[in-house]
Every structure is written in structure tokens, then in C-alpha cells.
Amino acid sequence: MGYKRAGCTIVAANDIDPEMAWHYRTNLAPPSYYLCPIGDLLKKDLPRELYELDILDGSPPCSTFSMAGSREKSWGKKKHFREGQAEQVLSDLFFDYLNLVERLKPRVAIAENVKGMILGNAKGYTKMVMARFREIGYRVQLFLLNAADCGVPQRRERVFFCALRDDLPGSELKLKPQHRWISAAEACNDLCCDESGLGMIQQTERLWEATKPGELLAEGSVRVTGKRSRFTETKLDGRTVSATLTSGYSGFYHWSECRRLTFREWKRLGSFPDDYHAKTDKIGKYMIGMSVPPKMTEAVARAVIDQWLLPAR
């Protein structure tokens, strides 16, 4: 979605998850879609246009490097990323992507992952990724960006690897977006809550009222009951950008009304277009919680196009 916003033509896409395939095809309709593990693309006969790409973007599943949970214990182990997928070693997928870069030789390769990749023990893994980029003939730079600086009404930090093929001219990429921060209330101020079934039980209303904007409901729980609970639920602060939306779609409450956010509000806070289609609101919220916000991708894509691709034409 972000590349489309930046003026790019999407020629193909790949994912292992049938649900994601349905949503990508429905909303972006790429000419080719490969529903398979990325490693399979290393052996398939691929059309000529895939060997003439300006940009090959890859975002390997990031749960392996997330700071939530015991991430190191999952490194090198097979697991199901979500229902319907084959068993994979998630920490290997980044190198499968790099092997595909080596095969297709795009002018630019871009990969995204969580901030956890540059923290703690994961820094050694990141150094190996950087070394592999250089080994296959790319000059690579690493950036830590906040989606709020890209015009997304959400605080969301992500790491981007941006790599230019060695045979192409180009100076160091300058990537420091400085968009003004857009508050959650500003992003959603023209939306009305028209969804049914949003009523809250009395206990939740009491906790919500006792929770200050921007706090976990756990703080309101202490004030009301003297006990700390509801650790995964947040009352957003409409006066500033939203907290990071996660795939736990049920844990985010509106700032001025005692209710969970609607899917329309999730789309606004994630910078997805209002007409983005999802099979269900539940799946749509999950996807937004797992996604790189389109405006964030757009900011990266525009910098790469303006500074690397257009000057080389």
C-alpha cells in the first residue's frame, strides 16, 4: 500500500498465509501472487520482469526479534507463525529473502523489522544480515524510524535496511522524516461510532473512567479495586499520537467514549485508506497491528526513489 502511495507499480507479491493473500489481492491486485514459502521462489521459474525490479521489499516475520517474551529461545527453532502456515524457522527467513535478492538483483533492496533487531543479542544477527547484503553486492544502510515522524497518527518504531546495488551510482541515503505529529483525535475526528455491540459491562466503565488518557486500564483497576489487572488494555490519549497498535486488537479503548476502537478508527491510526477491505473487522485489526503503516513505507520509498533511482536514470 505504501509503495502504491509513492507512485510505484506493484508487479508481484509473496506470502505464505492464504488470509494475507486474499487481502493483498483484494486491495492491490498485483499481476502475480506467489502463495508459498519465500524459499520456494529460489527454485521456481520466474518471469523476466522480476529480474528487472527497481525495488524488492521484504519484511520477514518479526516475532522472533520482538522484545516481548523470551525471543532468544525461539531462534533457530521451527514454529507456526499463525494458523494455516507451514512450519518454518522464522530466524532463517531474513536470509531466504537475501538469497532471493541475490537471485533477482533488484536495483534496491529494502527490508523492515522490529526495533528489537538492534538491541541486545540480536545485534549479532543484524551484523550478519548487513554482511550478507555486502557479500551479494549491495551497499546497505540501517535506519530506525518512528511512524509518527512519517505522518502516521501512531507511535511505532521500526528498523529499515536500505541497500543499493554496487554497480549503481548513489551517495548515502538521507532518511530523516520530520512530519508533524498527528494526534489520534485529529485523525479520527470526522468518524462516528456506528458499530453495534460496543457496550461495556459496568466494571469496565468504572475502570475506564478511573484510567487517565494514555494509561493502561491496570492503573484504573488499582484506583477502583486496589488490585492491578487488565495489563494488556490501554485507554488511548486523543491529544497525541496513538500508542503502538498491536495484533491484540481488543486492548485499545477510545479516549473520550468507553468503548473499544472501531475498525474504521484502526485504519485511520494505521494510515490505511478508508476503503481498505478486510474479511472481518477482527482480521483487519490483526493485520494493521502486524503491518508497517503505509505512510511509513511511503516515506522510505519516496526517499529511495528521489535519491537513488531517479538520479540513476
Side-chain angles (χ1 to χ4, degrees), residues 93-297:
L93 293 181
F94 216 122
F95 292 96
D96 288 343
Y97 162 73
L98 290 170
N99 290 339
L100 186 61
V101 172
E102 183 179 29
R103 182 186 185 189
L104 299 182
K105 293 294 184 184
R107 293 173 178 84
V108 173
I110 298 174
E112 171 273 340
N113 219 286
V114 293
K115 183 181 178 180
M117 274 198 76
I118 58 174
L119 300 174
N121 293 336
K123 288 189 286 188
Y125 182 95
T126 299
K127 289 179 180 178
M128 290 192 292
V129 169
M130 300 283 280
R132 179 63 175 146
F133 265 118
R134 290 189 284 268
E135 180 184 344
I136 62 178
Y138 284 81
R139 306 192 299 278
V140 61
Q141 293 175 244
L142 186 63
F143 300 92
L144 175 63
L145 303 181
N146 189 333
D149 294 325
C150 304
V152 181
Q154 180 189 163
R155 185 180 291 104
R156 193 181 194 96
E157 290 186 306
R158 287 295 182 269
V159 166
F160 286 85
F161 297 82
C162 298
L164 179 66
R165 208 171 65 204
D166 279 343
D167 64 312
L168 297 175
S171 56
E172 280 200 353
L173 186 69
K174 295 179 175 59
L175 187 52
K176 292 184 178 181
Q178 296 179 326
H179 196 288
R180 73 172 182 86
W181 282 23
I182 300 172
S183 72
E186 179 183 352
C188 301
N189 63 7
D190 63 325
L191 299 180
C192 61
C193 180
D194 56 2
E195 299 182 19
S196 61
L198 294 174
M200 293 290 144
I201 61 175
Q202 186 175 7
Q203 175 72 353
T204 296
E205 291 180 350
R206 292 175 62 205
L207 298 187
W208 181 88
E209 290 172 355
T211 301
K212 298 176 183 177
E215 287 186 340
L216 297 175
L217 260 63
E219 301 302 323
S221 178
V222 170
R223 296 182 185 113
V224 172
T225 69
K227 298 179 181 179
R228 192 174 296 274
S229 63
R230 314 287 286 269
F231 295 100
T232 61
E233 298 170 277
T234 302
K235 179 179 179 178
L236 298 182
D237 187 344
R239 299 166 298 182
T240 187
V241 294
S242 167
T244 302
L245 298 179
T246 65
S247 56
Y249 54 87
S250 64
F252 298 94
Y253 287 81
H254 197 272
W255 45 92
S256 62
E257 300 175 8
C258 182
R259 60 174 177 81
R260 294 186 178 96
L261 297 181
T262 67
F263 180 41
R264 297 175 69 198
E265 289 164 340
W266 271 73
K267 287 190 281 188
R268 289 287 182 90
L269 298 181
S271 76
F272 279 72
D274 287 347
D275 61 356
Y276 189 87
H277 296 291
K279 279 187 175 180
T280 67
D281 288 1
K282 178 179 177 180
I283 294 174
K285 290 177 181 180
Y286 171 86
M287 288 179 53
I288 292 172
M290 295 293 290
S291 297
V292 182
K295 282 190 176 181
M296 191 178 203
T297 302

Side-chain angles (χ1 to χ4, degrees), residues 16-18 36-37 40 78-90 93:
I16 195 174
D17 189 335
C36 63
D40 289 4
K78 291 184 177 181
K79 65 179 291 187
H80 291 279
F81 183 55
R82 64 179 261 128
E83 296 79 1
Q85 292 190 359
E87 201 172 47
Q88 302 179 97
V89 180
L90 299 188
L93 293 181

Side-chain angles (χ1 to χ4, degrees), residues 298-309:
E298 178 188 6
V300 175
R302 288 190 182 279
V304 164
I305 293 167
D306 293 344
Q307 297 177 46
W308 280 353
L309 295 176

